[in-house]
Structures are given as structure tokens and as C-alpha cells.
Amino acid sequence: MKIGCPKEIKPQEFRVGMTPNAAQEATARGHEVLIETGAGIGAGFENEAYVSAGARIVDTAEEVFATADMIVKVKEPQAVERKMLREGQLLFTYLHLAPDPDQTHDLIESGCTAIAYETVTDASGGLPLLAPMSEVAGRLAPQVGSWTLQKANGGRGVLMGGVPGVGPANVVVIGGGVVGTHAAKIAAGMGADVTVLDRSLPRLRYLDDVFGGLFKNQYSTAGATAELIQTADMVIGAVLIPGAAAPKLVTRQQLSTMKPGAVLVDVAIDQGGCFETSRATTHADPIYEVDGVMHYCVANMPGAVSRTSTIALGNATMPFMLSLADKGWKQACQDDPHLLAGLNVHAGQLTYYAVGKALGIDVVSPSVVIKA
């Protein structure tokens, strides 16, 4: 198979879809790998590293899309990239379609087959291709939130860990999954007073057993959230419904109950955000203010630590990418129901229920598609 990896063009996206190690694994199996020149620079991978791995460097994204059987990326294809997709081509990347009707319709119209990293599952019910970026984003959230809390950036002027005689920041983490757990660990490690909210009692028991007194946890209800955000210096939104739009857990009306200069960090922004006032921002202009509350809503947070993120993502995606290349997408999905769960679009049809529900589009079962 011809595997193509274009340079990411989303603003301030420095990650790359394939590492040189992944390229070497693919070429060793007899596949041809095409890398757009400079695609890996933002993550610290020079063209020469890919050439040494057996890949071929091409000059333009147009050549990558025109030649490759499978496109491997990081972020969802932008409008100009979607125009280059063609019928029968395989796209393997993050998609986050539920809050993005334009991308969804373009992918359907292209006739391509699109497998989304964020909906591939594993035997334990986890999301193995989302997990590494969730870990990165979770660990970044308190870091960027503490920066936003600084007075010069519009925040309350509160130090996360306080100092002797002055209390620490009060941090509320909504969601106790991968993002929330890592966010809570880092925030608590910075000395903050942290409370994690979640609706799963087994998950709350797990957090209590593993982390003990490092941070507190509480069952998540609308009332509990409303009460806790009133005293919070920082609220980290870390909720996820796989493939679906994130629920809105803090309303605009509730902002008036929060402390002036408090910070909202919305890690769910890729799925539409979990705060009513959230809108996607970039690393170049990451924060904005609504009703006295600062919002940090960068849609590709892990791109800020691109080398760590690229290697972590590559470790997770490489086995699936090789399976798709070795077997073709249909046989690979027939052999692995967890990979089949990643199928979102095929040949002009939407194949992921949560996206169809969010956007009001008819859905065809992926199990039907692979038997066709």
C-alpha cells in the first residue's frame, strides 16, 4: 500500500501523523511511504530521518493526496485537504465529526473511507488512540490554566500552590476519566486544592483507592457542579461521550456566580466543548473573557508539546496503521471489531451512530458496510 503523510496545516499544529520509526516499520513490510517535505519539523523530525527509514519525500500535499492509498494525519482534514480526498481513499486520523457538520458532509461527498482515532476501542472499553492525547491534554490543562490565572493574563492572580500563610488555588475537574485523572494529578502536584466530579461510582472508588488524599472526589450532579464552581479559581472540563458532542455542564448564567478572573479550561472543545460559552481558540490566541471569567479553549492542546505528543500518538496508532496497510481496511476491520468501531464514513455513507444523532444524518451500520 502507498501510505501518505501530509504536513499538518491547522494553525499552530506542530505534530505529524507518522514518526520515522512508523515509516521504517511500514517500509520493512513492503509498503511505500510518502512524506510531505517538512512534515515532521515541528516535532523535531527532519526529512533525512524519514529518508533513512525508507520513506520518500515529496514536495506538496497535493502529491501526497493524489498518490497515496491511505492518508495518515493527526488533526481532522481542513477544507482544502478535504477537496483532495477521493473515492476509495482511506483516511486515518482524528475527526471529531459530531460538532463539525461541514467536515462530515465533505467527507461523505468525497467517497473516502474515514477511520477516526477517537472512536477506535479496546477490549476493556477504552479508547486507545485517544488515550495518549488525553493524557497529554490532561497534564497540560493545569499548566495552561495556571498561566491563565496570572493577573497579567486576565486571571485572578492566584498561585496554584499558594505560599505559607496563603491558601492554594481551588480547582474543580469535571470528569474523572483519562483527562480528568491526569489533570487532577498535576494540579494536586502543583499544590492546588482539587476536587474531581464524576457520575461513575466505580470510577470514584478507583480514584479514591489509587490517589487517596491527593485530591478529593464527589459524585457529579448539576447541583454539585453549580455549588463547587462558585468557589473555584479554575474549572477543568474533562468530559467525554465517545464520538458525540460534549454535554454543556456550565451555563452562561452560571458564570455570574463565579469569582471574577476565574478560569475555565475546556479540554472537551474538540467535541464542541462542555461549557456553554466555549468556542475553539488557537495557541496563537488561546484565551478570551466572558462575563469576567477567562476561557482557555485551544482545540489542539497537545500540539503545544508536539514532540512528546507525536511519539505518544505514533506508539498507539502504528499497530492499527500497519494492520490497515497489510490487510486493507475491510479485512482489518473484519478481523478487529475495535478497529471497526473507528469507521465513521464509507463511500458516501455515515457509519457512526453518535455523529448521526448529533447532526441529524442517517447512519448505516459499519457491520453492514464491511459485508457489502
Side-chain angles (χ1 to χ4, degrees):
M1 182 178 282
K2 294 181 179 179
I3 306 169
C5 179
K7 185 176 182 178
E8 297 294 323
I9 60 172
K10 192 164 185 172
Q12 290 81 51
E13 179 51 71
F14 305 109
R15 292 172 290 180
V16 62
M18 287 185 73
T19 63
N21 283 343
Q24 184 174 3
E25 293 281 341
T27 57
R29 292 169 180 245
H31 304 295
E32 183 179 352
V33 176
L34 295 83
I35 307 290
E36 183 183 353
T37 185
I41 297 296
F45 299 118
E46 303 288 340
N47 287 344
E48 291 74 15
Y50 289 102
V51 172
S52 297
R56 179 161 63 92
I57 303 298
V58 298
D59 291 332
T60 65
E62 286 80 4
E63 187 174 353
V64 173
F65 278 86
T67 306
D69 304 306
M70 174 167 60
I71 300 294
V72 179
K73 283 177 41 61
V74 178
K75 293 304 293 178
E76 70 280 357
Q78 304 300 290
V80 66
E81 295 174 312
R82 299 196 293 268
K83 291 178 182 178
M84 293 187 280
L85 290 167
R86 64 179 187 273
E87 185 175 350
Q89 194 168 42
L90 178 60
L91 174 65
F92 191 40
T93 188
Y94 287 116
L95 294 176
H96 302 291
L97 294 179
D100 193 346
D102 290 343
Q103 182 196 177
T104 304
H105 289 298
D106 285 352
L107 292 182
I108 290 171
E109 290 176 8
S110 75
C112 78
T113 298
I115 296 178
Y117 291 163
E118 73 272 10
T119 64
V120 174
T121 59
D122 62 23
S124 63
L127 301 169
L129 305 190
L130 189 62
M133 296 304 92
S134 295
E135 291 164 351
V136 170
R139 292 183 177 219
L140 271 176
Q143 181 175 314
V144 298
S146 66
W147 177 84
T148 309
L149 264 179
Q150 295 176 31
K151 193 65 178 178
N153 299 319
R156 283 175 46 75
V158 173
L159 184 64
M160 287 287 275
V163 292
V166 182
N170 189 334
V171 176
V172 175
V173 180
I174 306 177
V178 176
V179 170
T181 300
H182 284 265
K185 283 171 58 179
I186 297 302
M190 295 171 77
D193 184 347
V194 181
T195 301
V196 177
L197 292 168
D198 201 273
R199 299 196 76 129
S200 167
L201 287 173
R203 186 64 183 178
L204 293 175
R205 292 189 184 101
Y206 167 82
L207 294 175
D208 186 65
D209 287 343
V210 173
F211 298 102
L214 185 62
F215 52 80
K216 297 170 285 188
N217 68 66
Q218 187 170 330
Y219 187 79
S220 180
T221 63
T225 301
E227 181 179 353
L228 286 169
I229 65 172
Q230 294 178 34
T231 57
D233 297 297
M234 183 190 306
V235 180
I236 297 174
V239 296
L240 174 71
I241 301 174
K248 307 300 182 187
L249 300 179
V250 175
T251 67
R252 175 159 192 169
Q253 186 177 1
Q254 288 175 310
L255 297 190
S256 64
T257 70
M258 297 180 67
K259 297 176 180 178
V263 172
L264 299 179
V265 181
D266 198 339
V267 189
I269 193 64
D270 269 332
Q271 295 294 136
C274 60
F275 307 130
E276 186 179 14
T277 45
S278 292
R279 57 176 172 80
T281 60
T282 68
H283 292 292
D285 189 16
I287 60 176
Y288 61 93
E289 177 265 332
V290 178
D291 297 343
V293 175
M294 303 306 298
H295 293 57
Y296 184 101
C297 303
V298 173
N300 60 331
M301 284 176 61
V305 286
S306 53
R307 187 170 180 86
T308 297
S309 297
T310 293
I311 295 171
L313 181 60
N315 290 342
T317 59
M318 184 167 58
F320 293 97
M321 181 268 291
L322 293 174
S323 178
L324 290 166
D326 290 346
K327 302 176 181 179
W329 78 267
K330 186 172 286 190
Q331 187 62 51
C333 288
Q334 285 177 338
D335 292 347
D336 185 352
H338 302 298
L339 182 57
L340 179 61
L343 186 66
N344 278 219
V345 174
H346 172 65
Q349 298 173 306
L350 188 65
T351 57
Y352 199 81
Y353 174 76
V355 174
K357 183 178 179 181
L359 299 179
I361 300 174
D362 290 338
V363 175
V364 176
S365 170
S367 60
V368 172
V369 166
I370 60 171
K371 293 177 183 176

